[in-house]
Amino acid sequence: MAARPALFGGIAVFSISAGLVADNALNRQAGPHRHPMLVTRDVETPPALAATRTAQAAAEPAPIGNDPRIIAFALVRDVQTLLAEQGYYEAEVDGRAGQATDLAIRAFQRERGLRVDGMATPLLLAQIRAAGQVEDIDPTQVASLETAGVASDASSGSGSDMVRQIQAGLADAKVADLQADGILGERTKAAIRTFQALESLDVTGEPSQEVLDRLRALAADD
């Protein structure tokens, strides 16, 4: 000890400190530490705390933004609302794709020269909105497009290569069920108006290089 007083003094201080810490931990604690270093079994949650957590979980809204059922409900409801505004749908707007919704969609598609399938889709919703935005379409004459439009197609001038390409592009894009005959009739004009509204172009109903270029770009993306 006389030869190494610092060493033995350090050992003595360490031993005394360790003893005090051990005595404090074993004999002078009123209860278990909140963060024990060693856990040998699960600590049960007190009933009051468990009830509080359950109430908080129930109060928090469930994430519904990506729920396909809610998305489909909202889509059908919007389709019903717009079709009702345009006089196609007369039943209750309930967001359910029933027989009344199917018949209304088919009537709209048939009278607009679109592909008739009765399905509520985002494309259909955009087409209904576009039809409502086009001011120069007379709703009282739309019902005669299927018959009168054919006659107009046959009597409105000679064929055009641009019109033929636009008709083919509109058919490929499923905007309208058209024949690429190059004749600019009422059905073709109505389809062009719908496409222009969908693509945020000037709604004129007339064939143009802008319409053709946009159709080609969409075909290239597919």
Side-chain angles (χ1 to χ4, degrees):
M1 295 179 59
R4 297 183 179 179
L7 174 62
F8 285 100
I11 294 175
V13 172
F14 175 79
S15 301
I16 294 172
S17 300
L20 292 175
V21 171
D23 178 66
N24 179 67
L26 296 175
N27 303 318
R28 301 181 183 278
Q29 296 295 324
H33 199 275
R34 290 176 299 174
H35 302 287
M37 296 178 62
L38 298 177
V39 178
T40 57
R41 59 192 177 96
D42 295 335
V43 179
E44 295 182 358
T45 303
L49 181 57
T52 302
R53 291 177 177 175
T54 302
Q56 291 176 348
E60 294 178 355
I64 59 177
N66 295 326
D67 191 331
R69 295 173 299 178
I70 296 179
I71 295 175
F73 172 85
L75 174 62
V76 174
R77 181 190 57 197
D78 291 345
V79 168
Q80 291 173 336
T81 301
L82 294 177
L83 288 177
E85 292 176 354
Q86 297 185 27
Y88 293 95
Y89 183 74
E90 299 179 355
E92 179 184 0
V93 177
D94 55 7
R96 300 179 180 178
Q99 183 178 8
T101 304
D102 178 81
L103 293 175
I105 292 175
R106 290 179 181 274
F108 173 83
Q109 291 172 326
R110 183 166 48 251
E111 294 177 359
R112 297 285 173 172
L114 306 175
R115 191 181 305 277
V116 179
D117 56 15
M119 300 295 294
T121 63
L123 175 60
L124 173 71
L125 182 61
Q127 290 169 337
I128 299 174
R129 286 174 175 166
Q133 295 173 355
V134 178
E135 297 179 354
D136 58 343
I137 295 181
D138 186 357
T140 62
Q141 298 178 356
V142 170
S144 63
L145 276 178
E146 186 70 21
T147 55
V150 175
S152 179
D153 282 345
S155 60
S156 60
S158 60
S160 167
D161 185 60
M162 174 180 289
V163 173
R164 186 179 298 107
Q165 293 181 53
I166 290 177
Q167 289 170 328
L170 291 172
D172 291 341
K174 298 182 180 180
V175 175
D177 190 8
L178 299 174
Q179 292 183 354
D181 54 11
I183 300 176
L184 182 61
E186 288 302 323
R187 292 187 61 190
T188 301
K189 290 181 179 180
I192 293 175
R193 283 192 291 264
T194 298
F195 179 76
Q196 289 171 327
L198 290 173
E199 295 295 315
S200 300
L201 305 176
D202 292 337
V203 180
T204 63
E206 298 297 327
S208 65
Q209 188 63 42
E210 182 181 31
V211 172
L212 182 58
D213 291 342
R214 188 64 61 88
L215 286 169
R216 288 173 174 171
L218 292 176
D221 292 339
D222 293 341

